[in-house]
Amino acid sequence: VGCVSLGCLSEYGHKIIGVDNDEKKVDRLNNGFPTIIEPELKNIIDRAVKNKRIIATEDAHYAVMNTEISIICVGTPLDEDSGKLNLDYVYNVASDISKAIEEKNTFHIIVLRSTVPPGTCDMIEEYIKNKSNKSIGIDFCLLSNPEFLREGSAIKDFNNPPYTLIGGSHTESINQLVRMYDSIDSEIVIVDRKIAEIMKYINNSFHALKVGFANEIGNICKALQLDSRQVMEIFCKDKKLNISPYYLSPGFSYGGSCLPK
């Protein structure tokens, strides 16, 4: 999510400072190479680096001091024993941001894109306030802006989202984030932060449900010696009641970090 966001936002003319604690990833970005394999991303990153719209660093303090918006895109892996998400990486980044904005004299916007349980933004914002000795709404604010990107089509999804969801109440910060996405032709939906946070869970759950449904149909068709793909292709022709064809194709088991959550 971070690398795709970095590249796509640079295409809109924004100057981006990418931050990572992995020296190899930083070096790759500064040499025009993405940190993941995604169609078209190599050309986008290479073009942006050559045009000096992207630089990468391990120095979070430098990045915060030289930007208006910090976008948090870190992993929130699932703890299989407790069933809860591990928010350590989010807190680590929040700690780095806190140290920087403590010395900053201008307003700073923090945007959380990672998948997190409802209420996480409240906790992170309070954590930053206490650690930086800065005031919420006066010195900084935190917005929720969940992503809806699929591996393999992330560039297309970033540029053509079903909607852009922003959770928060600080009007000036929301307006600035809206302007950041001005090049994207999609509806802007502004909601309470907790609603924005839970929408990623709802979407993930429904997509996983569709994958499971399609594969159950695949098992039945296999037992009956029927072509499951033809069956689901016909099923997906109904755009009025069956909603959409996405995730409704029998196939290999799903993986990655999103749907299991």
Side-chain angles (χ1 to χ4, degrees):
V1 175
C3 194
V4 170
S5 299
L6 182 91
C8 289
L9 289 173
S10 72
E11 289 282 276
Y12 303 153
H14 300 295
K15 292 184 178 180
I16 318 291
I17 302 176
V19 180
D20 201 287
N21 58 9
D22 187 329
E23 182 181 357
K24 292 181 179 179
K25 289 184 179 181
V26 170
D27 288 342
R28 281 188 62 82
L29 283 170
N30 283 327
N31 284 291
F33 293 93
T35 58
I36 59 169
I37 298 174
E38 190 71 34
E40 297 301 318
L41 189 56
K42 168 64 174 72
N43 293 335
I44 291 173
I45 296 293
D46 185 54
R47 184 163 54 244
V49 170
K50 288 179 179 177
N51 292 326
K52 298 181 179 180
R53 291 197 303 270
I54 286 178
I55 62 170
T57 179
E58 296 176 70
D59 189 346
H61 185 277
Y62 170 82
V64 173
M65 297 300 287
N66 289 277
T67 55
E68 298 173 335
I69 302 174
S70 292
I71 304 175
I72 302 176
C73 303
V74 295
T76 52
L78 189 68
D79 186 320
E80 295 183 1
D81 293 329
S82 67
K84 296 180 179 179
L85 300 192
N86 183 342
L87 299 178
D88 288 350
Y89 300 115
V90 177
Y91 275 101
N92 288 342
V93 175
S95 177
D96 289 339
I97 293 173
S98 300
K99 294 173 184 176
I101 66 172
E102 185 175 9
E103 301 175 21
K104 194 168 183 178
N105 297 321
T106 55
F107 193 87
H108 198 74
I109 300 170
I110 304 161
V111 178
L112 182 56
R113 297 215 82 191
S114 303
T115 301
V116 294
T120 300
C121 283
D122 292 348
M123 295 189 296
I124 297 298
E125 190 175 60
E126 190 69 17
Y127 173 84
I128 294 173
K129 182 192 79 170
N130 294 333
K131 197 170 184 64
S132 67
N133 295 312
K134 294 286 188 175
S135 299
I136 299 170
I138 297 175
D139 301 304
F140 79 98
C141 84
L142 194 152
L143 302 176
S144 175
N145 178 219
E147 50 79 23
F148 305 104
L149 308 180
R150 295 168 294 167
E151 293 180 21
S153 62
I155 303 296
K156 179 181 177 181
D157 291 344
F158 191 99
N159 292 323
N160 301 276
Y163 49 79
T164 298
L165 189 62
I166 301 173
S169 58
H170 192 268
T171 303
E172 292 181 11
S173 298
I174 290 171
N175 289 339
Q176 189 162 347
L177 197 59
V178 169
R179 288 193 294 271
M180 187 182 79
Y181 289 122
D182 190 51
S183 298
I184 297 178
D185 184 19
S186 73
E187 180 184 2
I188 301 290
V189 181
I190 299 171
V191 296
D192 178 83
R193 284 194 307 207
K194 290 182 180 179
I195 291 178
E197 290 169 322
I198 201 171
M199 283 309 303
K200 183 62 186 291
Y201 274 92
I202 292 173
N203 285 7
N204 282 356
S205 297
F206 187 55
H207 296 161
L209 173 67
K210 290 191 286 185
V211 172
F213 171 77
N215 281 307
E216 284 296 305
I217 297 301
N219 289 336
I220 293 170
C221 288
K222 183 178 181 180
L224 296 173
Q225 296 184 320
L226 300 175
D227 186 340
S228 62
R229 293 188 178 276
Q230 184 180 18
V231 168
M232 292 307 295
E233 183 180 346
I234 297 169
F235 176 81
C236 291
K237 288 182 181 294
D238 185 348
K239 302 297 195 300
K240 294 181 179 180
L241 297 180
N242 295 341
I243 304 176
S244 79
Y246 296 119
Y247 302 97
L248 285 173
S249 178
F252 193 67
S253 56
Y254 65 82
S257 60
C258 286
L259 296 188
K261 296 176 184 176

